[in-house]
Amino acid sequence: MNERIHHTMGQQSGRRSWAEPWKIKMVEPLRMTRRSDREGALAGAGWNTFLLRSDDVYIDLLTDSGTSAMSDRQWAGMMLGDEAYAGSRNFYRLEQAIQRWYGYEHVVPTHQGRGAEHLISQTAIRKGQYVPGNMYFTTTRLHQELAGGIFVDVIADEAHDPADRSPFKGDVDLAKLERLIVEHGATNIAYVSLAATVNMAGGQPVSMANVKALRELCSRNGIRLFLDATRLVENAFFIQEREPGYADRPIAEIAREFCGHTDGAWMSAKKDSLVNIGGWLAVRDRTLFEELRNLVVVYEGLHTYGGLAGRDMEAMAIGIEESMQDDHVRSRIGQVRYLGELLDDWGIPMVQPVGGHAIFLDARAFYPQLSQDQFPAQTLAAELYLDSGIRSMERGVVSAGRDPATGGHHYPRLELTRLTIPRRVYTQAHMDVVAESVKAVYDGRAAARGLKMSYEPRYLRFFQARFEPL
Ligand code: P61
């Protein structure tokens, strides 16, 4: 065989190819657009990909949230919805699934992740308390701040460097956390807010060793440890792959062991759990649970539906089980990596190592000619859309928002554009198209001029802000 002919991606990487453990039963046609259509659509959307109509998008990599394909089992489950106002059978199925796969005893359903973040923040934070976390997430930090908390980033420094290839860039820097405890006293820390994986750092995992050490430090100081379990399954995959002693352990077991070190968790089930809508909050402490269960009826709905239809809870219960299967997770992350490897071969700057749910392009490295005030990552998202109709998301200075104390922009070190891969939705050929478009935009990078913000909403500005080209 001619050594230089490597046709499949597996061959190119010196291995046999991975593939999806499913086949396609139903398709959703996509509209192909011309560049002139896209120019009109982008101008109409104020150069913000959140404001585009989905009909104007070809490959939608805005988010992996609520965009996954449900299985035939989940769709069958949708027909088994018990839409009783109180005591729906599907709630008990969901409760059981969370107890079995995540191991928490007391469960409160919510309509999605931020509903759960709202409840835990209002219940567990006193005004003026600090809330250390492994990097901010937009909605998480906002709910902590709205409850009077002060977010402090205690993630390891490596997480802020896109080129650093450490295997567990989501780890908490325990020395940073200890300094915070010494400085302010344990009673002024509401809880530690631990996300696994860390979205804004590039989908980077937390090691089991780190959560164990964190548990020990928290217990010693009487501080609670709560987990954002939104992409915990993906985190468990990385532990299995990278941490000594876990190679032969199933992902489900690793995920459950991880939860075992925490006091409770909140969840956006729209990610790992393969549903279009849903979330939950679950804790071990009975008293805290009573408070959460009482508050949910004010903001979400009765404690046996939390803003969801019975059918949504059924689909979630089934999705949780499917999400924990090793073959599923391997192919999900395999697809993200496939795209990452193509881009890496072409020298495209991005966060390394490639994380669980997305490729994060390094917009600073794309556009060294732009300052952060010219919104490089927003510019890159716009250019990708113009080139091919691919929709991505800004994760830089626009997403970071303003400091509530000073009113000035937060200037995060990471200025990234996220290509987020929905689960079980796009094919390898779609990934090829994405890679080719990123390369075309990279080749044209010298011409980029940046954007200015022409409208800025008060909360979570990145969703609705408008821009104009400079
Ligand atoms: C996303 F642009 N993520 O990544 P909810 N925790 C974590 C999340 O990733 C998360 C939530 C809590 C989204 C949707 C989204 O700035 C944005 O179910 C780790 O979306 O309420 C959501 O869960 C909140 C996109 C959220 C954003 C906020 O695309």
Side-chain angles (χ1 to χ4, degrees):
M1 187 181 137
N2 183 336
E3 292 283 333
R4 285 170 303 156
I5 298 175
H6 296 306
H7 291 289
T8 68
M9 190 60 205
Q11 287 170 345
Q12 287 172 39
S13 304
R15 55 167 166 70
R16 299 283 283 270
S17 288
W18 58 272
E20 294 83 355
W22 42 261
K23 59 183 176 176
I24 297 167
K25 177 145 48 185
M26 190 190 286
V27 298
E28 181 179 345
L30 297 174
R31 189 163 83 88
M32 315 292 278
T33 54
R34 288 163 306 176
R35 189 171 175 109
S36 57
D37 300 328
R38 297 194 290 273
E39 282 168 355
L42 190 66
W47 291 68
N48 184 348
T49 52
F50 277 107
L51 298 179
L52 288 166
R53 288 177 184 229
S54 132
D55 279 345
D56 293 326
V57 171
Y58 172 36
I59 300 177
D60 201 346
L61 306 186
L62 183 71
T63 177
D64 63 333
S65 180
T67 53
S68 297
M70 292 209 295
S71 67
D72 50 1
R73 286 178 67 235
Q74 286 178 291
W75 279 108
M78 295 288 278
M79 296 305 290
L80 303 176
D82 169 6
E83 307 306 343
Y85 187 88
S88 161
R89 154 188 351 118
N90 312 113
F91 166 72
Y92 298 104
R93 292 252 306 123
L94 174 64
E95 186 185 45
Q96 255 183 3
I98 294 164
Q99 288 167 343
R100 171 171 174 204
W101 297 99
Y102 292 89
Y104 303 109
E105 192 177 347
H106 305 298
V107 175
V108 178
T110 61
H111 78 284
Q112 60 182 79
R114 71 198 71 175
E117 290 173 335
H118 175 215
L119 300 182
I120 190 79
S121 302
Q122 291 297 328
T123 310
I125 300 172
R126 271 186 289 107
K127 198 170 168 7
Q129 279 187 316
Y130 293 86
V131 190
N134 55 345
M135 200 172 268
Y136 87 98
F137 186 69
T138 54
T139 54
T140 316
R141 184 180 65 191
L142 178 61
H143 280 295
Q144 290 163 353
E145 288 173 353
L146 289 172
I150 303 160
F151 171 80
V152 185
D153 186 5
V154 292
I155 202 167
D157 286 339
E158 296 90 301
H160 292 280
D161 177 1
D164 188 300
R165 288 183 185 250
S166 304
F168 290 105
K169 284 169 81 172
D171 279 359
V172 167
D173 181 332
L174 297 170
K176 282 187 196 170
L177 178 58
E178 272 196 283
R179 275 200 298 278
L180 192 78
I181 299 171
V182 170
E183 195 179 332
H184 299 287
T187 54
N188 288 316
I189 312 274
Y191 54 86
V192 173
S193 173
L194 180 73
T197 57
V198 183
N199 192 347
M200 302 299 277
Q204 301 297 326
V206 175
S207 64
M208 193 71 85
N210 191 248
V211 72
K212 270 189 207 163
L214 200 54
R215 165 81 275 162
E216 208 270 314
L217 178 61
C218 287
S219 298
R220 217 177 336 119
N221 289 280
I223 298 171
R224 289 175 296 190
L225 173 57
F226 292 124
L227 173 67
D228 181 339
T230 298
R231 296 185 185 83
L232 175 66
V233 171
E234 292 171 8
N235 198 100
F237 170 88
F238 290 115
I239 291 175
Q240 187 190 57
E241 180 185 66
R242 298 176 186 172
E243 199 160 350
Y246 289 93
D248 298 325
R249 300 269 305 280
I251 280 170
E253 244 182 69
I254 298 171
R256 189 152 165 168
E257 180 181 329
F258 198 99
C259 292
H261 297 298
T262 66
D263 295 302
W266 67 87
M267 177 77 181
S268 171
K270 301 170 72 171
K271 284 77 166 177
D272 269 356
S273 308
L274 299 159
V275 284
N276 304 124
I277 194 74
W280 49 262
L281 190 55
V283 295
R284 301 187 198 287
D285 181 76
R286 175 92 211 172
T287 313
L288 176 61
F289 167 62
E290 297 291 355
E291 272 184 71
L292 293 166
R293 187 166 68 162
N294 189 216
L295 205 59
V296 75
V297 302
V298 182
Y299 293 105
E300 302 278 311
L302 194 72
H303 56 274
T304 54
Y305 76 86
L308 296 165
R311 56 181 172 269
D312 298 325
M313 293 190 283
E314 187 65 27
M316 209 190 317
I318 298 168
I320 288 173
E321 181 180 347
E322 291 183 2
S323 76
M324 296 278 178
Q325 306 308 311
D326 285 48
D327 288 344
H328 159 71
V329 193
R330 205 173 296 126
S331 89
R332 189 280 186 280
I333 293 182
Q335 185 178 40
V336 177
R337 277 193 187 159
Y338 171 75
L339 177 57
E341 284 168 14
L342 287 180
L343 296 173
D344 212 19
D345 284 350
W346 283 331
I348 307 290
M350 60 188 168
V351 172
Q352 299 283 2
V354 167
H357 65 306
I359 301 294
F360 287 72
L361 302 173
D362 183 356
R364 281 182 197 271
F366 264 69
Y367 301 134
Q369 72 271 33
L370 302 184
S371 76
Q372 242 176 328
D373 288 315
Q374 295 164 320
F375 307 118
Q378 190 80 32
T379 303
L380 179 49
E383 291 295 340
L384 272 171
Y385 175 72
L386 285 177
D387 180 73
S388 56
I390 289 166
R391 170 151 70 172
S392 57
M393 184 194 289
E394 196 267 5
R395 295 280 82 168
V397 64
V398 184
S399 296
R402 291 182 184 274
D403 184 325
T406 67
H409 291 301
H410 284 294
Y411 287 102
R413 260 178 77 193
L414 296 175
E415 178 70 28
L416 308 171
T417 303
R418 187 179 77 171
L419 300 163
T420 337
I421 315 299
R423 296 163 189 77
R424 311 193 290 205
V425 170
Y426 290 113
T427 65
Q428 192 151 324
H430 284 122
M431 295 301 111
D432 288 348
V433 171
V434 173
E436 289 160 9
S437 178
V438 172
K439 180 163 189 323
V441 170
Y442 188 59
D443 291 343
R445 63 194 181 277
R449 297 272 165 279
L451 296 166
K452 69 169 192 239
M453 204 187 296
S454 53
Y455 166 67
E456 180 178 352
R458 180 157 165 209
Y459 298 113
L460 303 174
R461 63 185 184 177
F462 52 89
F463 283 132
Q464 291 150 341
R466 299 183 72 85
F467 300 83
E468 285 167 15
L470 286 170

